[in-house]
Amino acid sequence: MKKIALILFVLISNIVLFAQDNLLQNNYLREGVTLNGRWNYIVDVYESGYYNYRREPHDESENPGAGAYFMNAKPKDKTDRVEYDFDAAPTLLVPGDWNSQKENLYYYEGTLWYKKSFDVPNYDSSKRYYLHFGAVNYFADVYVNGKKLGAHRGGFTPFNFEMSKVLKAKDNFVVVRVDNKRFPDEVPTVSTDWWNYGGITRDVTIYELSQTFIEDYSIQLDKANSKQLKGFTQLNGESKANTQVVVKIPELNISKTYTTDSKGFVEFAIPVKKINKWSDNNPKLYTVSISTDTDKISDKIGFRRIETKGSDILLNGEKVFLKGISIHEENVMRGGRAHSIEDARVLLGWAKELGCNFVRLAHYPHNENMVRLADKMGLLVWEEIPVYWTIDWKNMETYKKAETQLKEAVTRDKNRASVIIWSMANETPQSEERLSFLTNLAKATRALDNTRLITAALEDHPSADDKNIMVIEDKFSDVVDIVSFNQYYGWYGGKIEDLKNIRWEIDIDKPVIISEFGAAALQGFHGDKSTMWTEDNQAYLYEETLPALARIPQFSGVTPWILTDFRSPRRMHDVYQNGYNRKGLISETGNKKKAFYTLQKFYKNLKTQN
Ligand code: GCU
């Protein structure tokens, strides 16, 4: 009986203790204490730091054994056995994936432990303290001073835990167990065309907050009435109810005071006469401040409307053509996951140099630097979650994982004017279960944010009666706002020279974006244009594909695959690939290929209203 009671106690405390804390909105512009830098690490292939020899998790035991790594134990004296020592262990840079930092971790998929010791400057026990992670790929278990704060799954979205109760002024330590193994029922599933970079891949920051603070907010042009701003504020803390919240936008002479309800929540609508609307040609950001008597945050927000009308995409009521490029989150020259503002400047700088006003951040939510910089640069953004290829559509748990990642992405970026599209999926095999899965995701997204457009990268195929006529036959095209599809005519089948005879017949009165096309080329390899892997062949495919796509009546945008070469375990040809997918327009040495200039010229000459 005692054993059952103990198991119940542990289970309930896990549920209570490990429920994630709501995401801190706008942590990016809050003053925080960074824990970035060198963390000690221990590779734990057999996960003995997490499970005892009976495969029971140490952290579900009242007395975790000497092998529980999260205790960061030290021998009490010379007779005391402790079989690990973080302080004697090597270090990894955080943020950063482990694969690109250590030769012997290049292919590693498994559990790896991180430890960081830290003091809290100006520690104030009357304050509340949160520990925020920009992302960890893929599973994370987080402990501070030997106490579990919680766990998170999903490799590309932020999460945070309150650690007030276990924190001290000095001599703290945080231990994170990271596991990047792939599983069929996770999101993404086991097969992807990108490198499974593991680790604490984005910033780690401590936030000191008042007892009652501003946890979440949004403010945006009202979709139904562009003469007013709509928004909400959510407070967190004991005195969140019936609390005054002041919203200020000085440049618009706005200063409004509201009072929260019993749950610390208040919704508001603010009439505005004249707003300088954000757009790709005019990335105007307003300073918005929200304050209470104990907290104040300020954010930089652009106000714009994005909608469709028939087969047009309208930005602030005017037709816009999306001159785009697809981007993986990789600093191809350094190798490894991109994460910093400098990485973002390189990637989005290249997109601008191409003449883009649009980027597809494939195939998962990128780090916040990318969307914040896109706001400033006037780049429209397609954001997506890694519902990619053969997801476990029948599994309700898998659906919840996808929906959680989507909610985390929408919560983080709902105030970013640059984000105009949420994409539900990429190249997913059609079935009733997949249709229901994606339709529910779209519903959940619209319930969270009805101000942006929904799409998914679908697939085309030759029509039954004419192989030169390509069609999209996918019931999810009824659900989306924009019909997007990937097509590789001339690379995965078909001849480039036949593209002039190819037509897409898409009998849907919605905008169409071609979300991928491309060919691989080894930078510096030249030959005649029919020779695969040459820059000339890649450029030839661009020269023939772009005008063919431009013949699609609903042609509203295109994001060729892809800005830079990127690492993939699927690309192992030792001469042409060397572990890289070579469809980039720029190589891993930062050299532009011939097709870069082909696309640049196409965008320069494109006759569009914007
Ligand atoms: C697919 C997929 C990409 C992949 C690309 C390719 O369309 O969406 O993730 O990298 O094709 O084969 O290069």
Side-chain angles (χ1 to χ4, degrees):
M1 195 54 187
K2 191 167 178 300
K3 178 104 173 149
I4 294 171
L6 175 64
I7 291 169
L8 272 175
F9 161 78
V10 168
L11 278 177
I12 291 163
S13 60
N14 279 359
I15 293 163
V16 171
L17 192 60
F18 306 150
Q20 250 137 56
D21 294 291
N22 292 337
L23 202 57
L24 276 178
Q25 181 59 222
N26 190 31
N27 65 291
Y28 190 88
L29 293 181
R30 275 189 183 276
E31 280 300 307
V33 175
T34 183
L35 289 183
N36 291 354
R38 292 216 160 267
W39 291 44
N40 297 96
Y41 75 92
I42 298 173
V43 178
D44 188 5
V45 183
Y46 279 27
E47 300 178 313
S48 54
Y50 187 72
Y51 298 102
N52 63 21
Y53 78 132
R54 296 291 184 239
R55 199 80 184 153
E56 295 155 340
H58 290 305
D59 64 15
E60 289 179 10
S61 151
E62 277 195 324
N63 301 303
Y69 287 6
F70 66 87
M71 296 302 286
N72 185 31
K74 301 291 173 208
K76 294 182 190 58
D77 55 38
K78 64 183 179 186
T79 66
D80 190 14
R81 177 183 58 80
V82 176
E83 294 187 47
Y84 68 94
D85 182 348
F86 277 113
D87 295 324
T91 63
L92 280 169
L93 266 179
V94 167
D97 62 275
W98 61 60
N99 313 73
S100 60
Q101 291 190 58
K102 300 286 178 185
E103 186 74 30
N104 61 2
L105 296 177
Y106 182 65
Y107 288 104
Y108 184 62
E109 294 185 305
T111 285
L112 182 144
W113 294 82
Y114 288 84
K115 189 278 289 183
K116 180 82 177 174
S117 298
F118 65 96
D119 297 338
V120 180
N122 312 313
Y123 174 75
D124 175 347
S125 59
S126 72
K127 297 286 188 178
R128 297 173 68 181
Y129 289 90
Y130 271 58
L131 185 58
H132 180 279
F133 293 81
V136 173
N137 188 41
Y138 181 86
F139 299 93
D141 292 274
V142 180
Y143 310 81
V144 167
N145 298 335
K147 296 285 184 295
K148 187 161 193 176
L149 298 183
H152 180 268
R153 68 173 62 208
F156 305 97
T157 46
F159 57 97
N160 46 227
F161 301 107
E162 181 163 7
M163 57 176 175
S164 314
K165 293 188 171 60
V166 298
L167 197 66
K168 308 176 289 185
K170 286 189 169 305
D171 305 327
N172 299 284
F173 60 87
V174 51
V175 172
V176 182
R177 169 186 175 249
V178 178
D179 177 4
N180 73 328
K181 286 194 295 296
R182 290 165 291 119
F183 295 95
D185 62 344
E186 292 297 331
V187 179
T189 180
V190 291
S191 175
T192 68
D193 190 18
W194 68 81
W195 206 268
N196 178 28
Y197 290 112
I200 303 177
T201 48
R202 297 179 192 165
D203 296 334
V204 183
T205 315
I206 298 170
Y207 290 100
E208 179 188 273
L209 302 159
S210 46
Q211 279 303 319
T212 297
F213 64 88
I214 299 162
E215 177 181 84
D216 196 6
Y217 60 86
S218 93
I219 185 164
Q220 190 44 270
L221 267 185
D222 181 351
K223 188 173 179 178
N225 170 4
S226 60
K227 294 282 180 224
Q228 69 177 11
L229 298 175
K230 264 184 85 175
F232 75 84
T233 298
Q234 175 64 60
L235 304 184
N236 176 316
E238 284 149 21
S239 45
K240 64 186 176 184
N242 308 313
T243 295
Q244 285 207 331
V245 174
V246 182
V247 178
K248 286 185 177 174
I249 310 177
E251 227 182 310
L252 294 175
N253 297 319
I254 289 173
S255 175
K256 297 278 185 186
T257 302
Y258 304 98
T259 304
T260 58
D261 64 15
S262 59
K263 296 191 180 67
F265 178 80
V266 61
E267 242 174 345
F268 50 80
I270 307 174
V272 283
K273 290 192 185 64
K274 192 162 170 21
I275 273 198
N276 183 356
K277 292 196 181 78
W278 185 95
S279 76
D280 51 339
N281 299 319
N282 174 49
K284 167 66 183 170
L285 298 175
Y286 284 94
T287 298
V288 177
S289 81
I290 299 178
S291 57
T292 66
D293 54 353
T294 59
D295 191 14
K296 177 178 180 182
I297 53 97
S298 84
D299 201 347
K300 298 274 188 196
I301 299 180
F303 299 114
R304 55 102 186 97
R305 283 161 61 89
I306 190 76
E307 57 201 323
T308 62
K309 189 176 177 191
S311 61
D312 294 339
I313 298 174
L314 305 181
L315 176 60
N316 300 323
E318 289 178 31
K319 184 176 175 180
V320 64
F321 183 84
L322 303 177
K323 299 173 282 189
I325 189 71
S326 294
I327 301 178
H328 256 305
E329 188 184 50
E330 192 169 284
N331 176 323
V332 73
M333 290 187 289
R334 182 185 70 233
R337 278 272 166 257
H339 53 78
S340 67
I341 184 64
E342 290 74 19
D343 291 337
R345 286 197 186 105
V346 168
L347 292 171
L348 298 185
W350 278 331
K352 273 284 188 188
E353 195 182 337
L354 261 177
C356 296
N357 65 345
F358 179 54
V359 289
R360 177 188 176 196
L361 301 187
H363 279 298
Y364 35 74
H366 287 209
N367 64 83
E368 193 166 355
N369 289 306
M370 289 289 274
V371 290
R372 292 259 181 189
L373 186 57
D375 266 7
K376 289 179 184 158
M377 293 174 73
L379 282 167
L380 298 156
V381 172
W382 158 317
E383 192 163 331
E384 66 187 75
I385 56 171
V387 173
Y388 181 98
W389 290 355
T390 52
I391 293 287
D392 187 357
W393 308 109
K394 297 177 182 161
N395 186 327
M396 193 55 210
E397 288 310 305
T398 302
Y399 173 78
K400 283 185 203 150
K401 293 166 190 171
E403 189 178 270
T404 299
Q405 291 185 30
L406 190 133
K407 285 183 173 174
E408 290 170 345
V410 173
T411 301
R412 188 194 77 180
D413 292 342
K414 59 180 177 286
N415 290 310
R416 304 283 69 81
S418 54
V419 179
I420 58 166
I421 290 172
W422 301 115
S423 177
M424 303 295 106
N426 181 74
E427 291 191 353
T428 49
Q430 296 193 44
S431 68
E432 279 313 307
E433 294 82 3
R434 167 263 197 187
L435 180 62
S436 155
F437 191 107
L438 298 187
T439 304
N440 288 329
L441 273 184
K443 272 185 204 147
T445 307
R446 289 184 170 126
L448 267 176
D449 170 19
N450 72 352
T451 69
R452 293 175 172 88
L453 304 173
I454 300 281
T455 194
L458 307 176
E459 295 177 288
D460 70 345
H461 61 267
S463 67
D465 42 22
D466 182 340
K467 67 175 177 41
N468 285 339
I469 296 179
M470 311 301 277
V471 292
I472 310 271
E473 290 168 333
D474 188 324
K475 288 182 195 154
F476 195 54
S477 58
D478 298 337
V479 176
V480 296
D481 299 307
I482 297 175
V483 174
S484 303
F485 67 96
N486 299 347
Q487 70 83 25
Y488 279 92
Y489 198 93
W491 180 259
Y492 292 124
K495 293 189 181 321
I496 298 175
E497 52 269 31
D498 295 341
L499 270 160
K500 56 183 171 302
N501 309 319
I502 296 296
R503 236 182 26 261
W504 280 268
E505 284 192 358
I506 302 164
D507 184 16
I508 304 171
D509 186 23
K510 292 180 180 177
V512 168
I513 292 178
I514 293 79
S515 35
E516 286 184 37
F517 77 80
L522 178 63
Q523 190 271 323
F525 177 37
H526 289 278
D528 72 84
K529 64 184 182 181
S530 63
T531 303
M532 269 196 153
W533 306 107
T534 61
E535 287 194 37
D536 315 88
N537 178 261
Q538 185 187 44
Y540 177 38
L541 181 127
Y542 272 69
E543 284 154 16
E544 295 301 309
T545 301
L546 288 162
L549 299 178
R551 291 197 292 269
I552 299 172
Q554 307 93 323
F555 187 41
S556 298
V558 59
T559 49
W561 193 257
I562 186 169
L563 181 65
T564 69
D565 291 351
F566 61 94
R567 281 199 173 126
S568 167
R570 306 169 69 89
R571 311 295 175 173
M572 302 314 279
H573 189 299
D574 233 17
V575 174
Y576 301 118
Q577 295 176 317
N578 328 93
Y580 283 91
N581 180 314
R582 294 270 184 217
K583 296 189 184 68
L585 297 176
I586 301 171
S587 73
E588 74 273 30
T589 54
N591 291 331
K592 296 180 177 75
K593 304 174 192 175
K594 198 173 168 186
F596 179 97
Y597 303 101
T598 310
L599 181 62
Q600 187 184 55
K601 187 174 159 210
F602 175 78
Y603 284 155
K604 190 164 183 292
N605 298 336
L606 197 62
K607 297 282 168 284
T608 62
Q609 285 164 323
N610 57 311

